[in-house]
Amino acid sequence: MLHYRTYEISPTTPWVTFIHGAGGSSSVWFKQIREFRKQHNVLLIDLRGHGQSAGGMWKKGDSFTDISKEVIEVLDEVGIKETHVIGMSLGTIVAQTMADNFPERINSLILGGAIIRFDIRTKLLLWGGRTVKRFVPYMLLYRLFAYIIMPRKQHEESRMAFVNEAKKVYQKEFIKWFSLTKLINPYLTRLQASTTAIPTLFLMGEEDYLFIPPIEEVVRKNKGFEFIKIEKSGHVCNIDQPEVFNKIAIDYIAKIEQRKAAIQLG
């Protein structure tokens, strides 16, 4: 089972599950834990091959569905029937896959640095990475991607947080995760259509230039989706602007909880 940590207030307090991106770990949420645990039960998870979770779990044909099932296994182990899910970067794909396959378990999605489609620049970048991934040290590739996605000086803390965590990931694990990006565009297009019933907030740094345009398009087409930009922030907006990120996310969860309570009252 995946490694996890919990902070529980009471059985009736809403759960919030945090899912990091590729190359990170649950430690990237260090600026969220204190605020969220004041009003929520918190579940932090290390995805396979990351943080303290075991590597070598890959089988041929494994996909985001298999990864999402491992997160659901943790929910079952802890006894969490339903949860709000906050994802970051590639973790947003895991979160959306959970909502697709287990919608009854997901109260809402808050997707930070969300990836919902790759444009031509990102496709070329990933194609180049897949071409050389077995010959070039993965940390060199990861540093390059980190600088392209988070290029500005104000992104330095978040960039280094992910680079330092990525050093703990073995090359074989990195290659497996990287391989998941190959068929990601058609998969994500289907996900957007299948998860429209789940309350979803896209919470993006205004300087996340690679990933904002497709989100703007998706939100225009789906009235149930919300989109907020955080000023002076890049891809990893939970680290760049934690106070703003925390307030917006906590307020959104409160709104969804109030809506759910109103429905239950009839």
Side-chain angles (χ1 to χ4, degrees), residues 16 18 29 32 35-36 39-40 84-87 108-112 201 203 228 230 238 241-257:
V16 179
F18 289 86
W29 303 108
Q32 278 65 59
E35 283 304 309
F36 276 85
Q39 304 174 51
H40 311 87
H84 301 273
V85 180
I86 300 180
S108 74
L109 295 172
I110 298 174
L111 307 177
L201 170 63
L203 189 50
I228 297 176
I230 299 178
N238 68 302
Q241 294 290 342
E243 292 181 4
V244 179
F245 181 95
N246 295 346
K247 184 179 188 314
I248 294 172
I250 288 170
D251 287 350
Y252 183 76
I253 290 171
K255 181 176 74 173
I256 300 305
E257 285 293 315

Side-chain angles (χ1 to χ4, degrees), residues 86-101:
I86 300 180
M88 179 56 59
S89 192
L90 218 64
T92 64
I93 304 176
V94 179
Q96 291 174 89
T97 304
M98 291 169 61
D100 182 35
N101 290 287

Side-chain angles (χ1 to χ4, degrees), residues 1-2 4 6 15-19 43-45 68-85 98 102 104-106:
M1 182 170 290
L2 302 178
Y4 66 89
T6 60
W15 279 94
V16 179
T17 299
F18 289 86
I19 302 178
L43 172 63
L44 300 164
I45 292 177
S68 72
K69 288 178 179 176
E70 292 169 358
V71 178
I72 293 295
E73 287 175 5
V74 175
L75 297 185
D76 292 341
E77 172 74 11
V78 179
I80 302 172
K81 293 182 178 179
E82 53 188 43
T83 181
H84 301 273
V85 180
M98 291 169 61
F102 307 94
E104 73 284 357
R105 309 293 294 272
I106 311 301

Side-chain angles (χ1 to χ4, degrees), residues 22-194:
S25 77
S26 57
S27 66
V28 303
W29 303 108
F30 68 100
K31 294 189 176 184
Q32 278 65 59
I33 297 171
R34 179 180 295 178
E35 283 304 309
F36 276 85
R37 63 185 290 194
K38 290 177 182 177
Q39 304 174 51
H40 311 87
N41 296 330
V42 170
L43 172 63
L44 300 164
I45 292 177
D46 289 334
L47 296 175
R48 60 164 69 175
H50 292 74
Q52 297 184 56
S53 287
M57 300 171 67
W58 296 90
K59 299 186 293 293
K60 187 175 181 180
D62 273 0
S63 66
F64 280 106
T65 298
D66 300 287
I67 294 166
S68 72
K69 288 178 179 176
E70 292 169 358
V71 178
I72 293 295
E73 287 175 5
V74 175
L75 297 185
D76 292 341
E77 172 74 11
V78 179
I80 302 172
K81 293 182 178 179
E82 53 188 43
T83 181
H84 301 273
V85 180
I86 300 180
M88 179 56 59
S89 192
L90 218 64
T92 64
I93 304 176
V94 179
Q96 291 174 89
T97 304
M98 291 169 61
D100 182 35
N101 290 287
F102 307 94
E104 73 284 357
R105 309 293 294 272
I106 311 301
N107 288 326
S108 74
L109 295 172
I110 298 174
L111 307 177
I115 300 173
I116 64 170
R117 191 173 70 233
F118 292 142
D119 65 10
I120 187 65
R121 293 172 297 179
T122 317
K123 286 180 183 177
L124 286 171
L125 177 65
L126 292 171
W127 176 82
R130 285 194 293 268
T131 302
V132 302
K133 67 186 179 185
R134 295 187 184 277
F135 312 107
V136 175
Y138 82 94
M139 278 308 303
L140 184 61
L141 277 178
Y142 198 89
R143 286 180 185 275
L144 174 63
F145 292 155
Y147 271 100
I148 291 172
I149 294 170
M150 298 172 273
R152 300 192 180 186
K153 183 174 178 57
Q154 59 262 38
H155 307 159
E156 185 174 4
E157 183 182 4
S158 54
R159 184 171 64 238
M160 291 311 301
F162 268 77
V163 168
N164 288 334
E165 283 300 314
K167 291 176 182 177
K168 304 171 187 176
V169 179
Y170 291 111
Q171 175 118 356
K172 287 183 179 179
E173 290 290 329
F174 177 82
I175 289 171
K176 291 291 187 180
W177 277 93
F178 201 80
S179 298
L180 289 179
T181 63
K182 195 169 186 180
L183 299 174
I184 217 166
N185 264 12
Y187 175 66
L188 286 176
T189 299
R190 187 189 67 76
L191 269 190
Q192 305 314 310
S194 66

